Amino acid sequence: MTAQIIQTNNTPFKKIAIDPVTLDIIENALRNARIEMDATLVRTAMSPGIREQGDAFPLIADHSGKMIVGQFGSFIGGFLEQFDGTLEDGDMIFLSDPYSCEGAVSHNNDWLVLLPIFKDGRLIAYSAMFGHQSDIGGKVVGSMPIDAKSVFEEGVRIPPVKIWKKGEYNDDLMKLVMHQTRKPDWCQADLNALIASCRVAARRVVEMADRFGDDVYISATQELLARNHRAMKALIAMAIGEDKVMFEDYICDDGVGYGPYKIKCTMWREGEKVILDFAGTDPQSAASINFFLNENMFKMFFGIYMIMVFDPQILFNDGFYDLIDVRIPKGSLLKPKFPAALSGRTHALGRIFDILGGLLGQKTPEFLNAAGFSSSPHLFYSGYDKKGDWFQLFQIGFGGIPGRPMGDGPDGHSLWPGFTNVPNEFLERYFPLMIERYETAPDSGGAGVHRGGNGIHMTYRFLAAGTISIHDDRWFVPPWGVNGGEPGERARKILEKADGTQTIVGNKVEDVRVEVGDQLHFITWGGGGWGDPLERDPALVGKEIVQGLVTVKGALAYGVVASENGAVDEAATAKLRADIKSSRGALPLFNYGPAIEELRQNCEAETGLKAPIQPVWHFAEAAE
Amino acid sequence: MGYRLGVDVGGTFTDLLLFNQDSGAFWRHKTPSTPHDSSEGILNGVTAICAEAGVAANDIEYLLHGTTVATNAVLEGKGARVGLVTTEGYRHVMQIARSYVPGGLAAWIIWPKPQPLAALEDTVTVKGRMDADGNEYRPFDEKSARAALTTLKTQGVEAITVSLINAYVNGDHETKIGKLAAEILPGVPVSLSHEILPEMQEYERTLTTVANAAVRPVVSNYLSNLRGKLADKGFAGRLSLLRSDGGLMTSNRAEEHPVNILMSGPAGGVTGALWVGKNAGIKNILTLDVGGTSTDVALIENLEPRRVRTTEVGHLSVRASSLDVKTVGAGGGSIAYVPELTRALRVGPQSAGAVPGPVAYGKGGTQPTVTDANVVLGYLPENLLGGSFKLDRAGATKAVQTVADALGIDLMAAARGIIDIVNENMFGALRMISVQQGYDPRHFALMGFGGAGPLHVNAVARLMGSWPAISPVSPGVLCALGDATTRMRTETARSYSKLAAQTQAAELGTILAEMEAQLRIELVAEGVSDSDIEMEFEIDVRYSGQAFEVPLTITMGALQQDGVEGLLARFDAEHLRLFTFNMDTPHEIVNLRAVALGKALDLPAAQLPKGDGSPAAAKMRDHKLWMDGKEQAAVIYDRSKLRQGDIIAGPAIVVEMDSTTLIESGCVGSVDAVGNILINLAEGAVS
């Protein structure tokens, strides 16, 4: 099966030598077109997830489907190989099923629109964008059931279909799709927004081809890919060794009692190629935390991390793909077999980035960042308000950014690009709740000469009875510190009744009833620390006590003895620092905190939650 | 006889423009800025320009001033030490901000997080809570407020800001804290968020109020110092400042609401372009203000500049109206370089600035800049008219050669490449404010000003298809001209947030009338006669659930006549134009806004003598420059000797004291009645 592309003009493009100036102009223009896609999207989308928080990703690809601008890499090549149908002028593809596009989108909630761009009868480019829909039906509000056993429980599944066919809109299809969701108004608006964004990109590409000539435009895109290939080749040769480097990290649990799940990646260079091998990663979960990881997407993540860590000047596209070989065992957490449930993939998606950071910085600790990618903590709250109207809230939270070579990790900021929080006054106006507290959680950032960012302590007071669901991670396995920095604190959730009684709530829970006046403390993880905490300026630690970012007790981790008003006892500090120095051993490159078995033993005492049980796989072994 | 004096203080030069209100005659002057105390430079300029024009300082009726004093206080962190009082549970509101990390995936690795404008140690909380409907959910706790304010007193803050959750619907608790502050910290200025910005969104409202408080003492010191010095000179007229939104406000009011002058500087160019457009009979204009390190662009449609609800200063986005000016790091001083890994040609955003500046300026610069490329190509002739320094062409050539060598192309191709790329960056910014907002740039003229705008305007107009390309009269001091020729303005906004179906036109009319009354009182207090005041109203509408609203201007009459339905029909049409689709979703009325304007000035422009169509009398010399891949013969003209109706065939260069206009081959410049050069494609030439 492979897509059949129908062109009315089959003249091949001529390869034309491109001068460097024209090349840069075209690259720049493409980048502007991508910015326009984002701008169009946020201005017209309706679900708070896309509109306020920016959970959507654009790309523009060349005529063969390679990404020229964007950030999640191109899936188009793989899609074309699988798609059993035609593609012609006036068509637009719509899909959401990860299993039909090799994981280009990784759960049913992400709706993707793909527009082949034709000019004078020839296919010259593609634009595509996907965005997270707040609800696509299925058994739970928000469509991400933690305990789903298969993808069939996770809302409407859309295989690649034509939403537009030769310029004609498929109205019946869309009626059918919108009939499945609890929020057709949001879905329709968000889909319109995705389509409008792709069309904007198409207009820009056609204008560019008009301006420079089709052959020049196409040749330029090829040269941009080649240029990126050359740059990445040099960077790989410089930064990646032939010796194997291995890193592993964990997803805390699967929400149905089992965990942690290991993700393991080994990296080495063979000649000019980098191999990234996930052998040793745990098999797929019976619940929904599986993450269908597209190899090309991972290549792009790798490329972006290389660039950000070693040389932020380079612009990235798909040009370097053949320099990287990604191996993911079938049946593993990262390449589950159909019809494994996928909706809770956000935790593994986040964890991938901590693993990348750990791999890339190992040989060059000065470039190493600590850990902090939990996931995107989700809260769902739904019910009927005082007037009897249905409401449903889907909110993404943020934790602490890890300690970095350049300094402290920012407190309560987003690791995801373009995401913002929703103003609390907005929440209070449109939903029956109050936000009683919105502060960072002191001491949650790992101690280090560069402190990890603090997580956020957000307290919701519910003003209508309803149900809540929570998806979070990093509550069991802490975010690690590096170069002597301490791990960050783990995530916690506490439900407080009107009479003051408190119950610890799990970090992956579904359908918890809440009453009027109940308060939920939603506390996220802190980033890991960077560098020896004993080298942090005591005056700064004192100042952070006054600022409410560190407590008097927390200051001890820096070897600092200070009072509530931030005054540092210099003699006591010197003594404490000397004591710690003499009693501790050599500082490790990575500080993961206690070993998994120790975490398990102390779990209930430390977190108030039962330890997850080691998963056992009866039928599948990961590696093929 | 009355004179208006426009004064624009820039980073390098202070520009002055003295305008005779009766004859339209004007004088211009440029003097070095004095960053340690900009009033010195202003005084030097006032003395010089008065002498030149033969007028006394007390002949000046109005001194109108665009200043970056407030901007710099924010950018350089030199504002006052602000204490922030907020609601219990929200102490870290400025620390967390919107949780946003700019840039793409993994950009957090290299993002330097800015420090909050109100330090966290100077942020305190108070008990008591309003809900989203303005009802008191928990009573105000005076004891905790006293304790909080006492803490701030001990810390020695210089200004107080109070910003409580939901104060935009009910500011009662803020008012109470304000009163306590006056008692506990007498003499310390207090800003309340519901007075500065009665709008939803706690972070934005708090930031705006804090920004206001932080720059207040700086602006106040600056203005009282300036007023004193001007009075010593004999100036007895009125001192007004240019607001970020292009209107004027009295200096007294600016002292209280300095948040409105954060982008006073760039606004001057846009208002200057408006005045030029009015006199040239051109209503749709894109502006291109090219400075040393950056370029500002804006859009004017039907002689009305586009405004936005936010003012962007550095990393901060403050909720105060401003002209929609986009800035790109592309200017004369932008440095060209070739990164080793990609071997691509990049220009900017790093800039050689004023010091060391371009290599051609001979002040120690060694890296090739856009100006150097202009020199190499012959677009900036070596002997600038009236220029006090000679350009170092050999040095510029050597620097640009390094780029040529790195790319493996010849010198001229590299120089032109630098120009093409910087033009492309300007083009990108112009697209953001035109195409992306649903405007077709082919329906607009492009006006280039600032030191280097007229050098690039012709080439960028070609990219945009925006004709004519305009080199306005006195492009180097257009901001000062803008300061001198705009009018008083004030505005207010309120959150409304109701479904249109539950809204009566009469209810909207009542609120707008209340807002009108409030604004009229303000402008009358600023010396505007009530009968001269013009009102404008805007209503923001969106599909319920969208985050962005579309502002629709409306008159009281239209609101009564067409009702809410008329408003919604206009919204649907505008939404279709901007985003290509409409929806069945209910409409929401989001905000109401009222603007009061002082009397529009009818200031004439001075006419040039009529010529015979030939610019021969203004010719200085023959010249050679590089264009379209070859060396070409060109002519250099003296702008001051051009007459109306003169037609200049490209390639040609027109020089004046502080600016140079480039007319490309295939284009023709014509001089209009008041001295603007309008450049169009020559007949038969292709864009």
Side-chain angles (χ1 to χ4, degrees), chain A residues 514-526:
Chain A
V514 292
E515 304 300 325
V516 175
D518 284 2
Q519 294 188 81
L520 173 71
H521 299 278
F522 196 104
I523 306 161
T524 55
W525 76 98

mmCIF file of all heavy atoms in Angstrom, chain A residues 514-526:
data_model
loop_
_atom_site.group_PDB
_atom_site.id
_atom_site.type_symbol
_atom_site.label_atom_id
_atom_site.label_comp_id
_atom_site.label_asym_id
_atom_site.label_seq_id
_atom_site.Cartn_x
_atom_site.Cartn_y
_atom_site.Cartn_z
ATOM 1 N N VAL A 514 -16.174 14.989 44.070
ATOM 2 C CA VAL A 514 -15.871 16.110 44.965
ATOM 3 C C VAL A 514 -17.167 16.824 45.313
ATOM 4 O O VAL A 514 -18.110 16.854 44.526
ATOM 5 C CB VAL A 514 -14.860 17.100 44.346
ATOM 6 C CG1 VAL A 514 -13.497 16.447 44.215
ATOM 7 C CG2 VAL A 514 -15.337 17.641 43.000
ATOM 8 N N GLU A 515 -17.200 17.388 46.527
ATOM 9 C CA GLU A 515 -18.386 18.091 47.014
ATOM 10 C C GLU A 515 -18.111 19.587 47.016
ATOM 11 O O GLU A 515 -16.958 20.027 46.967
ATOM 12 C CB GLU A 515 -18.693 17.654 48.465
ATOM 13 C CG GLU A 515 -18.863 16.159 48.659
ATOM 14 C CD GLU A 515 -20.006 15.604 47.825
ATOM 15 O OE1 GLU A 515 -21.020 16.316 47.653
ATOM 16 O OE2 GLU A 515 -19.875 14.472 47.329
ATOM 17 N N VAL A 516 -19.185 20.348 47.141
ATOM 18 C CA VAL A 516 -19.042 21.802 47.244
ATOM 19 C C VAL A 516 -18.160 22.131 48.453
ATOM 20 O O VAL A 516 -18.374 21.598 49.530
ATOM 21 C CB VAL A 516 -20.430 22.466 47.408
ATOM 22 C CG1 VAL A 516 -20.282 23.971 47.640
ATOM 23 C CG2 VAL A 516 -21.285 22.207 46.173
ATOM 24 N N GLY A 517 -17.169 22.979 48.262
ATOM 25 C CA GLY A 517 -16.310 23.389 49.361
ATOM 26 C C GLY A 517 -15.052 22.552 49.511
ATOM 27 O O GLY A 517 -14.128 22.952 50.228
ATOM 28 N N ASP A 518 -14.967 21.409 48.835
ATOM 29 C CA ASP A 518 -13.743 20.596 48.893
ATOM 30 C C ASP A 518 -12.576 21.366 48.268
ATOM 31 O O ASP A 518 -12.754 22.120 47.325
ATOM 32 C CB ASP A 518 -13.920 19.299 48.086
ATOM 33 C CG ASP A 518 -14.771 18.279 48.834
ATOM 34 O OD1 ASP A 518 -15.237 18.616 49.937
ATOM 35 O OD2 ASP A 518 -14.964 17.173 48.300
ATOM 36 N N GLN A 519 -11.393 21.104 48.809
ATOM 37 C CA GLN A 519 -10.206 21.707 48.205
ATOM 38 C C GLN A 519 -9.255 20.616 47.726
ATOM 39 O O GLN A 519 -9.014 19.644 48.440
ATOM 40 C CB GLN A 519 -9.466 22.577 49.228
ATOM 41 C CG GLN A 519 -10.252 23.805 49.663
ATOM 42 C CD GLN A 519 -9.388 24.712 50.516
ATOM 43 O OE1 GLN A 519 -8.585 25.483 50.023
ATOM 44 N NE2 GLN A 519 -9.553 24.586 51.814
ATOM 45 N N LEU A 520 -8.723 20.806 46.538
ATOM 46 C CA LEU A 520 -7.717 19.879 46.011
ATOM 47 C C LEU A 520 -6.373 20.606 45.960
ATOM 48 O O LEU A 520 -6.260 21.658 45.321
ATOM 49 C CB LEU A 520 -8.095 19.413 44.601
ATOM 50 C CG LEU A 520 -7.007 18.580 43.906
ATOM 51 C CD1 LEU A 520 -6.878 17.200 44.540
ATOM 52 C CD2 LEU A 520 -7.268 18.454 42.403
ATOM 53 N N HIS A 521 -5.386 20.057 46.658
ATOM 54 C CA HIS A 521 -4.029 20.611 46.561
ATOM 55 C C HIS A 521 -3.304 19.851 45.459
ATOM 56 O O HIS A 521 -3.020 18.664 45.611
ATOM 57 C CB HIS A 521 -3.285 20.463 47.887
ATOM 58 C CG HIS A 521 -3.958 21.185 49.017
ATOM 59 N ND1 HIS A 521 -3.789 22.531 49.233
ATOM 60 C CD2 HIS A 521 -4.818 20.752 49.964
ATOM 61 C CE1 HIS A 521 -4.518 22.900 50.289
ATOM 62 N NE2 HIS A 521 -5.154 21.836 50.750
ATOM 63 N N PHE A 522 -3.043 20.513 44.378
ATOM 64 C CA PHE A 522 -2.403 19.892 43.222
ATOM 65 C C PHE A 522 -0.953 20.374 43.228
ATOM 66 O O PHE A 522 -0.666 21.509 42.857
ATOM 67 C CB PHE A 522 -3.141 20.340 41.955
ATOM 68 C CG PHE A 522 -2.859 19.520 40.733
ATOM 69 C CD1 PHE A 522 -3.793 18.595 40.275
ATOM 70 C CD2 PHE A 522 -1.682 19.670 40.006
ATOM 71 C CE1 PHE A 522 -3.553 17.844 39.129
ATOM 72 C CE2 PHE A 522 -1.435 18.919 38.876
ATOM 73 C CZ PHE A 522 -2.372 18.006 38.425
ATOM 74 N N ILE A 523 -0.048 19.502 43.701
ATOM 75 C CA ILE A 523 1.337 19.932 43.902
ATOM 76 C C ILE A 523 2.224 19.195 42.908
ATOM 77 O O ILE A 523 2.231 17.962 42.870
ATOM 78 C CB ILE A 523 1.793 19.643 45.342
ATOM 79 C CG1 ILE A 523 0.798 20.279 46.327
ATOM 80 C CG2 ILE A 523 3.220 20.166 45.590
ATOM 81 C CD1 ILE A 523 0.862 19.708 47.727
ATOM 82 N N THR A 524 2.953 19.939 42.110
ATOM 83 C CA THR A 524 3.766 19.307 41.069
ATOM 84 C C THR A 524 5.212 19.146 41.535
ATOM 85 O O THR A 524 5.620 19.705 42.552
ATOM 86 C CB THR A 524 3.710 20.112 39.766
ATOM 87 O OG1 THR A 524 4.092 21.456 40.037
ATOM 88 C CG2 THR A 524 2.294 20.110 39.188
ATOM 89 N N TRP A 525 5.967 18.349 40.766
ATOM 90 C CA TRP A 525 7.340 18.026 41.087
ATOM 91 C C TRP A 525 8.276 19.224 40.904
ATOM 92 O O TRP A 525 7.982 20.131 40.145
ATOM 93 C CB TRP A 525 7.770 16.887 40.157
ATOM 94 C CG TRP A 525 8.024 17.435 38.789
ATOM 95 C CD1 TRP A 525 9.228 17.760 38.273
ATOM 96 C CD2 TRP A 525 7.058 17.830 37.804
ATOM 97 N NE1 TRP A 525 9.075 18.315 37.028
ATOM 98 C CE2 TRP A 525 7.770 18.379 36.721
ATOM 99 C CE3 TRP A 525 5.658 17.789 37.737
ATOM 100 C CZ2 TRP A 525 7.135 18.868 35.586
ATOM 101 C CZ3 TRP A 525 5.028 18.282 36.604
ATOM 102 C CH2 TRP A 525 5.759 18.804 35.556
ATOM 103 N N GLY A 526 9.412 19.190 41.602
ATOM 104 C CA GLY A 526 10.432 20.217 41.398
ATOM 105 C C GLY A 526 11.506 19.712 40.460
ATOM 106 O O GLY A 526 11.664 18.507 40.270
#
